Amino acid sequence: MKTKFQIKDFSFYFNEEKVLKNINFEIEANSILGIIGPAGSGKTTFLRSLNRMNDLESGYRIEGNILLDGIDIYKPEYDVVELRKKVGMVFAMPVPLPMSIYENVVYGPRLSGVQDKKRLDELVEKSLSSAYLWEEVKDRLHTSGMRLSGGQQQRLCLARVLAMEPEAILLDEPSSGLDPISTAKIEDALTVLKKSYTIILVTNNTKQAARVADNTAFFLMGELIELGTTSQIFTSPVKTQTDDYITGRFG
Amino acid sequence: MRIHPRYTQRGAVVILGGATLLTLVILIFIIVFILEKGLPVLGWNFLTSNPEDMGRSGGIFPTLIGTIILPLIAIIIATPLGVFTSVYLSEYTKETRATKIIRFGTDCLAGIPSIIFGLFGYIFFVITLGMGWSLLAGGLTLAVMILPTIIRTSEEAIRAVPKSYREVSFSLGASSWQTVKKVILPNALPGIVTGVMLSIGRSIGETAAVIFTAGSSLRIPTSLLDSARTMSVHFYILAREGISAENAYGTAAALIIAVLLVNLSAYWLMNRFISKRS
């Protein structure tokens, strides 16, 4: 198994409050890691540390390292823009940019300098198909992305990330606002996509982690309590907190 | 004693509606009053012929030129400066003491009476830089005067762009500048245009800052270093010196129509832009 991310004694402080506490683990390439845990457990902060989206906030400080393919992404000379091209992100709320479906998908590739119309068209079809959205929108690619339904918008956001041809995809509760059918489509897409991408899925829905994740990590109060294969975590968790959480005794 | 919500509701409607109505009536009264007195004088001939006898008779052609050129110079200089400054303040700096001081400074500048700007323009552009009474000195003074307005309205427009758009753009590997260019500015444009249009209106109507810096020559300016008179200044002089009340009202009517045209075209442009994007 190839390792994609190595998290080494990583701590995150926000206004001197320790939000993530000495996290240590490795994330396998070409697999889906589910991250579960109650609200405020640091799941999202951790996810946003992997592509340095936390940089946009002020008042934070980190300790330790995160390595992507063996290279520390927090070293001063590391190019954040390149990092975000390699590590794409889908947010909890679908946010299509106020432009057409087509323009939304080619936003990333255009930034990287892809201008060839044919190449862009290919990327649009390929990404929208992988996000299970192509059939629904192929006849109206040039209408506004904001006119799609919530579930379609979220798949558009996924397609937009895929079009950048990243190496890893971070998903922050991607189906929290979606109906079961849209959720199922996104989950189907993810299980296919893991063959080519490393996927990290933060979810409040433990069943979703059980359905799609290969490995599952349980976060609580900023600590990584337990990490294991999904079947092990859900059938024979080692820690009592994990057991309590997945059986619904708290959180 | 408690008044029944039905009555407080009725009272609120009367007060709010009355205020709106009063505002509208005052506005319409002013416009009708000026147009009624001015329109009989205002005609193609009035706009395109030169004034005679200090403006006692003849038209206002040179002041029309002055009224177009001066705000144009001001806008060409102040818009890029103001928009770039607001982008820098809102996108490239984190909220610190320094940015707060800059913002407070622009607010103060926006509140300074225009005659002070006129005095500054006179001392700095006209005398110190030796531009003399000229279109250039007047345009630069107006630019300085409207700069704070443009900065503040642009900044408000930029801040109104949802934070999530920025996050998405950055997460897709955009640099700050790419985000500004592709997401922030297009979405803030209607607000920025509104600010610019307000500023154009203000510079068209400005008298005090212009009379000190562009002078009041009635000759048609042929270079940026020529003195020129705007319609507002012309109106002021005609009315103040009792030269011709008739022609003063004619000029005022032309002014009002000019400002109206600027605003209407701004709305038209903006609507076209918005409907094109969505």
Side-chain angles (χ1 to χ4, degrees):
Chain A
M1 269 298 164
K2 192 172 166 280
T3 302
K4 195 69 191 171
F5 286 99
Q6 280 170 282
I7 295 94
K8 289 186 171 170
D9 206 26
F10 186 77
S11 297
F12 189 96
Y13 298 82
F14 188 71
N15 292 337
E16 291 312 307
E17 184 196 345
K18 203 169 184 179
V19 188
L20 289 173
K21 297 166 189 166
N22 309 74
I23 309 283
N24 273 295
F25 72 111
E26 297 187 347
I27 300 175
E28 278 174 21
N30 302 331
S31 69
I32 300 181
L33 170 71
I35 299 181
I36 57 171
S41 57
K43 308 183 298 274
T44 296
T45 303
F46 175 71
L47 196 71
R48 291 167 67 97
S49 299
L50 296 177
N51 67 343
R52 287 182 57 178
M53 280 305 280
N54 289 320
D55 285 19
L56 303 184
E57 315 294 334
S58 45
Y60 79 93
R61 180 166 69 80
I62 62 146
E63 279 167 6
N65 315 89
I66 293 180
L67 277 58
L68 170 63
D69 294 324
I71 297 166
D72 184 355
I73 62 171
Y74 279 93
K75 63 179 180 184
E77 67 272 24
Y78 198 91
D79 185 347
V80 186
V81 167
E82 285 308 311
L83 171 68
R84 295 193 186 129
K85 284 177 182 165
K86 280 191 229 170
V87 185
M89 184 166 217
V90 175
F91 298 86
M93 289 297 296
V95 180
L97 293 171
M99 42 182 87
S100 71
I101 296 171
Y102 186 94
E103 289 298 322
N104 262 287
V105 179
V106 300
Y107 190 87
R110 281 238 172 98
L111 291 176
S112 320
V114 181
Q115 279 170 351
D116 180 34
K117 179 88 175 65
K118 242 181 83 189
R119 171 90 181 106
L120 289 173
D121 288 348
E122 278 169 20
L123 271 174
V124 168
E125 178 168 357
K126 193 174 143 225
S127 324
L128 285 171
S129 304
S130 306
Y132 288 13
L133 186 60
W134 175 252
E135 286 303 320
E136 290 162 59
V137 301
K138 63 181 179 189
D139 300 321
R140 48 172 173 148
L141 290 175
H142 295 284
T143 58
S144 171
M146 301 176 88
R147 294 209 192 142
L148 299 173
S149 74
Q152 290 173 325
Q153 287 186 359
Q154 195 59 300
R155 278 176 281 150
L156 175 61
C157 294
L158 179 59
R160 191 166 61 186
V161 169
L162 295 177
M164 296 195 302
E165 303 186 312
E167 296 168 17
I169 304 172
L170 314 176
L171 300 109
D172 185 8
E173 297 173 38
S175 50
S176 56
L178 304 186
D179 63 281
I181 294 171
S182 301
T183 304
K185 282 187 178 167
I186 290 198
E187 289 176 4
D188 288 349
L190 294 183
T191 40
V192 177
L193 288 170
K194 73 172 179 186
K195 294 191 187 94
S196 354
Y197 304 93
T198 304
I199 294 173
I200 298 146
L201 169 69
V202 160
T203 179
N204 272 330
N205 178 346
T206 46
K207 294 203 184 81
Q208 182 170 53
R211 281 195 298 269
V212 298
D214 298 298
N215 298 302
T216 297
F218 174 58
F219 275 59
L220 183 66
M221 314 271 285
E223 282 178 78
L224 172 64
I225 303 294
E226 191 167 355
L227 168 72
T229 63
T230 298
S231 56
Q232 179 255 310
I233 292 283
F234 280 92
T235 55
S236 51
V238 178
K239 301 278 173 59
T240 49
Q241 294 114 306
T242 315
D243 194 28
D244 288 348
Y245 183 71
I246 58 173
T247 52
R249 263 190 282 266
F250 75 90
Chain B
M1 192 190 77
R2 191 173 164 276
I3 307 171
H4 194 276
R6 192 167 46 229
Y7 299 116
T8 56
Q9 160 71 6
R10 215 171 279 166
V13 169
V14 168
I15 292 172
L16 301 177
T20 313
L21 194 71
L22 191 66
T23 314
L24 217 67
V25 166
I26 294 173
L27 182 71
I28 291 172
F29 178 74
I30 293 175
I31 293 179
V32 169
F33 181 80
I34 302 281
L35 289 186
E36 200 192 357
K37 298 215 166 193
L39 278 184
V41 184
L42 186 61
W44 188 247
N45 210 24
F46 185 70
L47 288 177
T48 55
S49 59
N50 285 323
E52 282 158 28
D53 197 10
M54 304 293 291
R56 215 161 264 123
S57 56
I60 55 164
F61 184 64
T63 69
L64 192 65
I65 302 289
T67 305
I68 294 170
I69 305 280
L70 268 181
L72 201 67
I73 297 174
I75 283 302
I76 288 174
I77 294 167
T79 305
L81 268 181
V83 174
F84 293 165
T85 304
S86 62
V87 167
Y88 183 74
L89 282 180
S90 52
E91 299 299 315
Y92 285 84
T93 55
K94 292 198 166 154
E95 192 69 23
T96 58
R97 224 186 151 78
T99 58
K100 276 187 192 134
I101 291 172
I102 293 173
R103 202 163 287 128
F104 181 70
T106 50
D107 281 347
C108 289
L109 270 180
I112 289 179
S114 58
I115 196 157
I116 307 287
F117 282 105
L119 206 63
F120 162 76
Y122 177 72
I123 293 167
F124 187 66
F125 296 121
V126 176
I127 306 285
T128 309
L129 296 186
M131 292 177 189
W133 281 334
S134 62
L135 283 171
L136 191 61
L140 287 170
T141 306
L142 284 181
V144 175
M145 188 184 86
I146 60 177
L147 196 55
T149 313
I150 292 185
I151 293 176
R152 289 299 274 158
T153 48
S154 305
E155 216 191 336
E156 291 306 319
I158 287 169
R159 276 169 192 276
V161 177
K163 193 182 164 217
S164 56
Y165 290 180
R166 294 177 175 81
E167 285 207 321
V168 165
S169 180
F170 284 123
S171 78
L172 291 169
S175 64
S176 289
W177 174 239
Q178 286 170 323
T179 303
V180 166
K181 202 173 59 176
K182 297 188 78 166
V183 177
I184 311 275
L185 284 183
N187 284 289
L189 198 63
I192 294 175
V193 170
T194 309
V196 170
M197 285 298 152
L198 280 175
S199 307
I200 294 181
R202 233 186 117 195
S203 6
I204 289 179
E206 184 50 44
T207 315
V210 173
I211 204 164
F212 277 114
T213 51
S216 58
S217 162
L218 269 176
R219 273 193 299 273
I220 298 172
T222 51
S223 94
L224 287 181
L225 289 173
D226 279 356
S227 168
R229 186 186 286 196
T230 64
M231 288 199 274
S232 333
V233 171
H234 190 53
F235 171 80
Y236 170 75
I237 291 172
L238 290 184
R240 177 77 175 75
E241 320 221 325
I243 295 172
S244 162
E246 255 188 2
N247 280 0
Y249 279 119
T251 313
L255 250 178
I256 283 191
I257 293 171
V259 172
L260 219 63
L261 280 179
V262 166
N263 284 348
L264 283 178
S265 48
Y267 274 111
W268 179 75
L269 266 176
M270 222 145 70
N271 283 335
R272 240 181 68 130
F273 176 79
I274 291 168
S275 62
K276 224 169 128 187
R277 282 173 55 85
S278 56

PDB file of all heavy atoms in Angstrom, chain B residues 38-50:
ATOM      1  N   GLY B  38     -36.562  76.427 -17.183  1.00  0.00           N
ATOM      2  CA  GLY B  38     -35.392  76.274 -18.046  1.00  0.00           C
ATOM      3  C   GLY B  38     -35.689  75.786 -19.440  1.00  0.00           C
ATOM      4  O   GLY B  38     -35.024  76.186 -20.402  1.00  0.00           O
ATOM      5  N   LEU B  39     -36.686  74.907 -19.562  1.00  0.00           N
ATOM      6  CA  LEU B  39     -36.922  74.271 -20.868  1.00  0.00           C
ATOM      7  C   LEU B  39     -37.230  75.257 -22.000  1.00  0.00           C
ATOM      8  O   LEU B  39     -36.778  75.043 -23.123  1.00  0.00           O
ATOM      9  CB  LEU B  39     -38.033  73.225 -20.756  1.00  0.00           C
ATOM     10  CG  LEU B  39     -37.598  71.856 -20.227  1.00  0.00           C
ATOM     11  CD1 LEU B  39     -38.760  70.871 -20.249  1.00  0.00           C
ATOM     12  CD2 LEU B  39     -36.411  71.296 -21.002  1.00  0.00           C
ATOM     13  N   PRO B  40     -37.968  76.359 -21.714  1.00  0.00           N
ATOM     14  CA  PRO B  40     -38.240  77.307 -22.805  1.00  0.00           C
ATOM     15  C   PRO B  40     -36.952  77.860 -23.417  1.00  0.00           C
ATOM     16  O   PRO B  40     -36.907  78.169 -24.606  1.00  0.00           O
ATOM     17  CB  PRO B  40     -39.042  78.417 -22.117  1.00  0.00           C
ATOM     18  CG  PRO B  40     -39.663  77.763 -20.930  1.00  0.00           C
ATOM     19  CD  PRO B  40     -38.699  76.721 -20.487  1.00  0.00           C
ATOM     20  N   VAL B  41     -35.903  77.993 -22.583  1.00  0.00           N
ATOM     21  CA  VAL B  41     -34.640  78.524 -23.085  1.00  0.00           C
ATOM     22  C   VAL B  41     -33.836  77.426 -23.758  1.00  0.00           C
ATOM     23  O   VAL B  41     -33.155  77.624 -24.765  1.00  0.00           O
ATOM     24  CB  VAL B  41     -33.815  79.113 -21.912  1.00  0.00           C
ATOM     25  CG1 VAL B  41     -32.550  79.767 -22.424  1.00  0.00           C
ATOM     26  CG2 VAL B  41     -34.667  80.060 -21.104  1.00  0.00           C
ATOM     27  N   LEU B  42     -33.918  76.230 -23.139  1.00  0.00           N
ATOM     28  CA  LEU B  42     -33.086  75.110 -23.559  1.00  0.00           C
ATOM     29  C   LEU B  42     -33.534  74.577 -24.913  1.00  0.00           C
ATOM     30  O   LEU B  42     -34.676  74.187 -25.093  1.00  0.00           O
ATOM     31  CB  LEU B  42     -33.180  73.998 -22.501  1.00  0.00           C
ATOM     32  CG  LEU B  42     -32.268  72.797 -22.669  1.00  0.00           C
ATOM     33  CD1 LEU B  42     -30.815  73.198 -22.629  1.00  0.00           C
ATOM     34  CD2 LEU B  42     -32.572  71.771 -21.604  1.00  0.00           C
ATOM     35  N   GLY B  43     -32.619  74.601 -25.854  1.00  0.00           N
ATOM     36  CA  GLY B  43     -32.911  74.043 -27.159  1.00  0.00           C
ATOM     37  C   GLY B  43     -31.604  73.694 -27.815  1.00  0.00           C
ATOM     38  O   GLY B  43     -30.530  73.911 -27.229  1.00  0.00           O
ATOM     39  N   TRP B  44     -31.664  73.117 -28.985  1.00  0.00           N
ATOM     40  CA  TRP B  44     -30.445  72.724 -29.691  1.00  0.00           C
ATOM     41  C   TRP B  44     -29.511  73.915 -29.858  1.00  0.00           C
ATOM     42  O   TRP B  44     -28.307  73.817 -29.640  1.00  0.00           O
ATOM     43  CB  TRP B  44     -30.825  72.139 -31.047  1.00  0.00           C
ATOM     44  CG  TRP B  44     -29.642  71.536 -31.742  1.00  0.00           C
ATOM     45  CD1 TRP B  44     -29.057  71.981 -32.883  1.00  0.00           C
ATOM     46  CD2 TRP B  44     -28.883  70.414 -31.308  1.00  0.00           C
ATOM     47  NE1 TRP B  44     -27.974  71.190 -33.204  1.00  0.00           N
ATOM     48  CE2 TRP B  44     -27.846  70.220 -32.238  1.00  0.00           C
ATOM     49  CE3 TRP B  44     -28.976  69.557 -30.200  1.00  0.00           C
ATOM     50  CZ2 TRP B  44     -26.917  69.205 -32.118  1.00  0.00           C
ATOM     51  CZ3 TRP B  44     -28.038  68.545 -30.076  1.00  0.00           C
ATOM     52  CH2 TRP B  44     -27.024  68.379 -31.028  1.00  0.00           C
ATOM     53  N   ASN B  45     -30.103  75.044 -30.209  1.00  0.00           N
ATOM     54  CA  ASN B  45     -29.336  76.260 -30.435  1.00  0.00           C
ATOM     55  C   ASN B  45     -28.613  76.714 -29.168  1.00  0.00           C
ATOM     56  O   ASN B  45     -27.454  77.116 -29.208  1.00  0.00           O
ATOM     57  CB  ASN B  45     -30.309  77.343 -30.919  1.00  0.00           C
ATOM     58  CG  ASN B  45     -29.597  78.325 -31.828  1.00  0.00           C
ATOM     59  OD1 ASN B  45     -28.577  77.986 -32.429  1.00  0.00           O
ATOM     60  ND2 ASN B  45     -30.130  79.543 -31.905  1.00  0.00           N
ATOM     61  N   PHE B  46     -29.319  76.610 -28.050  1.00  0.00           N
ATOM     62  CA  PHE B  46     -28.761  77.022 -26.750  1.00  0.00           C
ATOM     63  C   PHE B  46     -27.543  76.162 -26.401  1.00  0.00           C
ATOM     64  O   PHE B  46     -26.544  76.654 -25.885  1.00  0.00           O
ATOM     65  CB  PHE B  46     -29.851  76.886 -25.680  1.00  0.00           C
ATOM     66  CG  PHE B  46     -29.448  77.393 -24.321  1.00  0.00           C
ATOM     67  CD1 PHE B  46     -29.283  78.751 -24.084  1.00  0.00           C
ATOM     68  CD2 PHE B  46     -29.259  76.512 -23.271  1.00  0.00           C
ATOM     69  CE1 PHE B  46     -28.918  79.213 -22.831  1.00  0.00           C
ATOM     70  CE2 PHE B  46     -28.899  76.961 -22.015  1.00  0.00           C
ATOM     71  CZ  PHE B  46     -28.726  78.321 -21.802  1.00  0.00           C
ATOM     72  N   LEU B  47     -27.639  74.887 -26.713  1.00  0.00           N
ATOM     73  CA  LEU B  47     -26.559  73.960 -26.368  1.00  0.00           C
ATOM     74  C   LEU B  47     -25.348  74.123 -27.272  1.00  0.00           C
ATOM     75  O   LEU B  47     -24.224  73.872 -26.858  1.00  0.00           O
ATOM     76  CB  LEU B  47     -27.057  72.515 -26.455  1.00  0.00           C
ATOM     77  CG  LEU B  47     -28.026  72.039 -25.361  1.00  0.00           C
ATOM     78  CD1 LEU B  47     -28.482  70.619 -25.647  1.00  0.00           C
ATOM     79  CD2 LEU B  47     -27.375  72.107 -23.989  1.00  0.00           C
ATOM     80  N   THR B  48     -25.595  74.518 -28.533  1.00  0.00           N
ATOM     81  CA  THR B  48     -24.497  74.467 -29.501  1.00  0.00           C
ATOM     82  C   THR B  48     -23.939  75.822 -29.908  1.00  0.00           C
ATOM     83  O   THR B  48     -23.054  75.879 -30.740  1.00  0.00           O
ATOM     84  CB  THR B  48     -24.941  73.732 -30.785  1.00  0.00           C
ATOM     85  OG1 THR B  48     -26.116  74.397 -31.269  1.00  0.00           O
ATOM     86  CG2 THR B  48     -25.238  72.279 -30.524  1.00  0.00           C
ATOM     87  N   SER B  49     -24.465  76.896 -29.326  1.00  0.00           N
ATOM     88  CA  SER B  49     -23.883  78.184 -29.723  1.00  0.00           C
ATOM     89  C   SER B  49     -23.076  78.777 -28.576  1.00  0.00           C
ATOM     90  O   SER B  49     -23.241  78.405 -27.410  1.00  0.00           O
ATOM     91  CB  SER B  49     -24.994  79.148 -30.155  1.00  0.00           C
ATOM     92  OG  SER B  49     -25.889  79.340 -29.095  1.00  0.00           O
ATOM     93  N   ASN B  50     -22.180  79.681 -28.936  1.00  0.00           N
ATOM     94  CA  ASN B  50     -21.327  80.300 -27.933  1.00  0.00           C
ATOM     95  C   ASN B  50     -22.080  81.378 -27.163  1.00  0.00           C
ATOM     96  O   ASN B  50     -22.971  82.021 -27.707  1.00  0.00           O
ATOM     97  CB  ASN B  50     -20.111  80.921 -28.611  1.00  0.00           C
ATOM     98  CG  ASN B  50     -19.122  79.843 -29.018  1.00  0.00           C
ATOM     99  OD1 ASN B  50     -18.934  78.863 -28.299  1.00  0.00           O
ATOM    100  ND2 ASN B  50     -18.523  80.025 -30.185  1.00  0.00           N
TER     101      ASN B  50
END
